[in-house]
Amino acid sequence: MHPESYLAQCGSRWDSRTGAVSMPVYQTATFKHPGLGQSTGYDYSRSGNPTRAVLEETMAWLDGGCRGLAFASGMAALDCLARLFVPGDRIVVTEDLYGGTYRLFERLYRPLGIEAVYVDTADTRAVAAALAQGAKALLVESPTNPLLKIADLRTLGCLAREHGALFAVDNTFMTPLLQRPLHLGADVVVYSATKYVNGHDDVVAGLLVAREPEVAERLAFFQNAAGAVLGPQDSWLVLRGLKTLAVRLARQQANAQAVAAFLAAHPAVARVHYPGLPDHPGHDRQRGQAAGFGAMVSFMLNDPAKAPDILAGVELFLFAESLGGVESLITLPAVQTHADIEPGTRARLGVTDGLLRLSIGLEDPADLVADLARVL
């Protein structure tokens, strides 16, 4: 079955007793036991809830994994993943990554003795060199946030196996409809389901999908033990968002292509980061490992001093953090999403005061271009 067909009906056939087409919201903390030593399969909603279970099963099917796990946020999902490691472990991580992930490793896990080593994961040789020094895991964003660099996931998967490292991919920007990291060698896929998976800017949620039962069981233990699970109402909202994921992504990608092409030709723009542009360094690599280029665009201004006026002047774009919703958003990563990364590192990476990031929504592309043309 094609993923689009599966998603259109996710949860629609679960309730055989009533025939409910929409997956019911099981807004309950606990479940009645049939008898002593007996269970319906559900006991307490932290350990398992039918609405959350359908979401988790849907994501496992989409990614081709053995199990999915839903969390109260994307950071809660990453925190669960990080619990696989112990003091003395070393993790190779994408250097231009979401600032919250950097904060998690630097402020929470480095003091516990878990070391994150940051490399350009679009540079396969740099990753190989870092893994050769010993690492328990490789965590990659691809495309990266906010510079949209593309890693060679197949090759990195081979390198991780060669060095005995767990390979995890943050697939938030792509979703399983555009990129399936488990099929490219990853062991675990991470999502901020707040973004494209839900797609309506009304839920905060996170997801993990594991390829093998051994890793899945450990992650499920941590999920239950720590308890940062996604509630049933939010699980239902994410399921509802998944039903339209295919049509949303198609329109968002078409809009992103139009916006990126406009920006690439504008004299006020020094550089555009969008893998859908033929001159993007990762264009061919992305074509070979994914079914699309996504709908995130970032660009560097020739004059960074104009950034505040652009943020204040846009009328259709919303000046807001997050991404992946039906509304188009604009943000300045250096002072918002990536503020926790030290200034020197941001400057070296190119996450400067002149870099603006766009999350392209479902509006008419001509209106989006006109809004940017006016403020530029």
Side-chain angles (χ1 to χ4, degrees):
M1 183 185 297
H2 290 86
E4 293 84 352
S5 299
Y6 186 88
L7 283 178
Q9 298 192 18
C10 60
S12 296
R13 300 170 186 269
W14 190 89
D15 191 351
S16 58
R17 186 175 66 85
T18 68
V21 172
S22 177
M23 176 65 199
V25 180
Y26 281 80
Q27 194 68 52
T28 181
T30 191
F31 301 82
K32 179 177 178 290
H33 298 298
L36 185 62
Q38 300 176 25
S39 172
T40 61
Y42 296 98
D43 304 308
Y44 188 63
S45 274
R46 171 169 47 78
S47 303
N49 177 282
T51 314
R52 190 175 88 231
V54 170
L55 170 61
E56 292 173 334
E57 291 162 8
T58 297
M59 290 302 299
W61 187 90
L62 283 173
D63 262 309
C66 74
R67 186 165 184 173
L69 301 165
F71 297 84
S73 69
M75 294 315 303
L78 278 166
D79 179 68
C80 182
L81 179 69
R83 291 175 188 272
L84 292 171
F85 310 109
V86 298
D89 283 351
R90 187 169 175 271
I91 305 169
V92 177
V93 185
T94 297
E95 63 177 2
D96 60 309
L97 78 171
Y98 170 54
T101 307
Y102 178 86
R103 179 177 59 231
L104 179 77
F105 282 113
E106 292 304 306
R107 302 289 293 275
L108 270 67
Y109 282 95
R110 189 176 291 276
L112 299 178
I114 298 170
E115 180 189 8
V117 178
Y118 303 97
V119 301
D120 179 0
T121 48
D123 182 344
T124 303
R125 290 184 178 180
V127 176
L131 289 173
Q133 295 176 31
K136 289 290 185 179
L138 169 63
L139 173 61
V140 172
E141 283 186 8
S142 186
T144 61
N145 180 9
L147 299 175
L148 297 153
K149 292 183 178 181
I150 305 299
D152 183 344
L153 297 180
R154 286 190 184 90
T155 301
L156 296 189
C158 293
L159 286 171
R161 284 194 300 275
E162 179 183 324
H163 292 281
L166 180 90
F167 183 28
V169 176
D170 187 326
N171 201 36
T172 296
F173 279 16
M174 287 287 101
T175 84
L177 286 189
L178 298 181
Q179 185 168 268
R180 303 182 79 192
L182 298 185
H183 289 239
L184 299 171
D187 299 296
V188 181
V189 187
V190 186
Y191 296 97
S192 172
T194 309
K195 313 306 192 294
Y196 291 100
V197 171
N198 175 60
H200 291 79
D201 291 322
D202 54 11
V203 163
V204 174
L207 293 160
L208 294 177
V209 180
R211 185 177 61 183
E212 300 294 340
E214 181 182 357
V215 173
E217 288 171 11
R218 293 181 65 194
L219 292 171
F221 172 82
F222 297 139
Q223 180 197 41
N224 182 51
V229 296
L230 190 64
Q233 181 69 39
D234 286 348
S235 296
W236 182 84
L237 285 168
V238 177
L239 273 170
R240 185 180 66 170
L242 277 168
K243 290 175 179 288
T244 61
L245 177 60
V247 291
R248 285 189 284 109
L249 280 176
R251 175 60 179 262
Q252 286 168 307
Q253 286 191 105
N255 283 358
Q257 196 75 38
V259 168
F262 161 76
L263 291 170
H266 198 285
V269 175
R271 185 175 181 182
V272 179
H273 303 281
Y274 181 63
L277 294 176
D279 61 351
H280 185 281
H283 178 80
D284 291 338
R285 180 178 285 178
Q286 186 69 356
R287 287 186 62 187
Q289 67 185 17
F293 301 105
M296 297 299 299
V297 179
S298 64
F299 63 100
M300 185 69 68
L301 295 168
N302 280 322
D303 182 3
K306 292 183 177 179
D309 290 337
I310 290 171
L311 294 171
V314 287
E315 295 177 353
L316 188 57
F317 281 88
L318 297 168
F319 177 28
E321 298 184 34
S322 196
L323 57 100
V326 297
E327 305 90 353
S328 289
L329 307 179
I330 185 169
T331 187
L332 186 65
V335 297
Q336 292 179 285
T337 57
H338 292 66
D340 280 295
I341 298 176
E342 57 188 35
T345 301
R346 289 201 309 265
R348 179 178 61 81
L349 296 176
V351 184
T352 67
D353 290 343
L355 181 75
L356 293 167
R357 190 191 72 183
L358 305 177
S359 172
I360 305 300
L362 302 183
E363 301 89 350
D364 187 283
D367 290 337
L368 294 172
V369 167
D371 196 30
L372 293 172
R374 182 177 49 78
V375 293
L376 286 172

